[in-house]
Amino acid sequence: MTGPDMAHHAPPKAHVSVSTSPIAIADPATRMSLVTLACLALVFALDVGKVILAPVCLSIVVGSLFGPAADRLGRLGIPSWVSAALMVVLFILLITTAGAAFMVPLSDWLDKLPLIWAKLQSQLVSWQGLFASISSLQEELRNAMGQSGNMQVSVDETSPVESVFYFAPTFMAQIILFLASLYFFVLTRPRVFRSTVDWSTPATKRYRMAIAFQRIEKRLSTYLLSITCVNVGLAAAVSAALWLIGVPSPILWGVLAGVLNYVIYIGPAIMVLIMTGVGLSIGNSIPEILLPPLVYLLLNLFEAQFVTPTVLGRTMTLNPFLVFLTIAFWIWLWGPIGGFIAVPALLAGVTLYEISNHPSDL
């Protein structure tokens, strides 16, 4: 075959496609490593900035509850700055009223702490044999493992007064930041949502962003309002039940049960311990001591298994294990504030996940 024919029938050259994207990571292990590092960096940033981020996030959650009421006032012709200020004043009045209801009976119970401790010690005397057996077993295990039983105890020399002087300015600054953030969030919430949607491109992304904002706000406001109604009912039921069995200050414990019920799982566990202490202060036998926590447990069980699922419905139902992990994480990160915003944050995350992975449901 001649040269031109060979050139004509030569096999075509292989074309190598080169990715032009700035980052092309096909290795799942590499992607997982990057995601892990990003999550660790996010957790570190949340921990470092918790003094500022915690009150701001709390104001967003609380503002989601008061936002619809501010919108209704705006439709009646009231200026937005007036309606936002009214919502902040309403929140302050609610907190002040609840605090005033706590103070007087709580101070009386604080005076009973030595009596409660003395009764607890007298009840533990009957368990002294069990504790001695556990202690001897522990010592035998230490000897078998070659460990010494000596312990070193370090005492923090910081006095309570110094701690108060150190944390009081930070706490007051957080309260001011929370109230200011609550006011400006309620005031500018519609404009922020509209601006975020308008900046999104293309049109499909803009539509998804609008739907995401609407669903998140609807779910948060529905959840917070429903849980608040449930907790008010629980507070009334606990107060009435404790009054019937003769527990002093039943309204105090009912209000405390309603407040702690905002932190799922953790709050009821704390309430059981408190009710056990109350039983120690008023009871002289094991049945009398255990009656207050058992009454609370029965009411809380009924609320958690029947009332709350009925009020929230299936659309608000979340995986209990995921809820527990979320609450544990946020309490570890931000303390009580984290425990309050844990479930709303999980609801927002689940809503975003549903919108991004199931666009056909929009």
Side-chain angles (χ1 to χ4, degrees):
M1 188 177 291
T2 59
D5 294 334
M6 292 178 63
H8 179 71
H9 294 283
K13 294 181 180 180
H15 295 281
V16 179
S17 62
V18 179
S19 177
T20 58
S21 61
I23 299 177
I25 302 173
D27 186 12
T30 305
R31 289 201 303 268
M32 182 61 67
S33 300
L34 290 176
V35 171
T36 303
L37 290 175
C39 292
L40 291 176
L42 177 62
V43 171
F44 177 76
L46 291 173
D47 183 44
V48 172
K50 63 183 177 182
V51 175
I52 296 176
L53 295 177
V56 172
C57 291
L58 181 62
S59 68
I60 294 174
V61 173
V62 176
S64 300
L65 177 61
F66 289 95
D71 293 339
R72 292 188 184 93
L73 292 178
R75 287 193 290 268
L76 295 176
I78 299 177
S80 58
W81 67 270
V82 175
S83 60
L86 287 176
M87 294 301 104
V88 175
V89 171
L90 176 61
F91 178 79
I92 293 175
L93 288 176
L94 291 175
I95 296 299
T96 305
T97 303
F102 272 115
M103 283 303 144
V104 176
L106 188 60
S107 61
D108 295 336
W109 280 94
L110 289 177
D111 295 336
K112 296 180 181 179
L113 284 180
L115 174 62
I116 296 175
W117 176 244
K119 284 198 171 185
L120 178 61
Q121 287 179 318
S122 64
Q123 292 294 330
L124 292 179
V125 168
S126 59
W127 295 358
Q128 189 173 5
L130 177 61
F131 291 151
S133 301
I134 294 175
S135 178
S136 62
L137 178 61
Q138 185 180 15
E139 188 65 29
E140 291 177 3
L141 289 174
R142 284 203 191 103
N143 295 333
M145 298 176 63
Q147 295 180 355
S148 174
N150 295 330
M151 294 177 56
Q152 292 183 355
V153 180
S154 59
V155 180
D156 188 5
E157 296 182 356
T158 303
S159 66
V161 177
E162 292 177 354
S163 300
V164 169
F165 276 106
Y166 178 77
F167 288 109
T170 303
F171 181 69
M172 291 303 300
Q174 285 184 311
I175 292 178
I176 295 173
L177 179 61
F178 165 75
L179 294 176
S181 301
L182 178 61
Y183 171 77
F184 286 110
F185 176 76
V186 176
L187 176 66
T188 63
R189 179 178 53 89
R191 280 177 281 176
V192 170
F193 290 170
R194 284 196 300 267
S195 300
T196 305
V197 172
D198 292 339
W199 289 341
S200 302
T201 55
T204 54
K205 186 177 180 181
R206 210 162 32 236
Y207 175 71
R208 286 191 184 184
M209 188 68 69
I211 294 297
F213 276 133
Q214 291 175 2
R215 286 192 181 179
I216 289 175
E217 185 176 35
K218 182 179 179 180
R219 281 192 171 185
L220 288 183
S221 59
T222 302
Y223 170 79
L224 291 173
L225 183 60
S226 302
I227 288 298
T228 299
C229 294
V230 169
N231 292 346
V232 169
L234 178 65
V238 171
S239 299
L242 295 180
W243 175 75
L244 288 175
I245 63 175
V247 175
S249 308
I251 297 179
L252 168 66
W253 308 124
V255 174
L256 187 60
V259 171
L260 290 177
N261 206 51
Y262 279 102
V263 184
I264 305 174
Y265 305 135
I266 309 297
I270 296 174
M271 192 63 195
V272 169
L273 294 177
I274 294 175
M275 287 290 96
T276 305
V278 172
L280 284 170
S281 67
I282 64 174
N284 297 317
S285 62
I286 296 297
E288 293 177 352
I289 292 173
L290 295 180
L291 183 59
L294 287 178
V295 168
Y296 168 76
L297 274 176
L298 289 175
L299 292 174
N300 181 261
L301 181 65
F302 179 78
E303 173 267 323
Q305 298 299 322
F306 299 101
V307 178
T308 299
T310 302
V311 171
L312 293 180
R314 292 185 177 182
T315 57
M316 302 288 287
T317 303
L318 297 172
N319 188 310
F321 182 64
L322 185 60
V323 172
F324 177 78
L325 290 180
T326 303
I327 293 174
F329 169 77
W330 283 104
I331 288 179
W332 167 74
L333 193 65
W334 285 354
I337 294 178
F340 181 80
I341 70 172
V343 177
L346 181 60
L347 276 174
V350 169
T351 303
L352 290 176
Y353 175 80
E354 292 174 351
I355 291 175
S356 61
N357 289 274
H358 302 284
S360 59
D361 297 338
L362 298 179

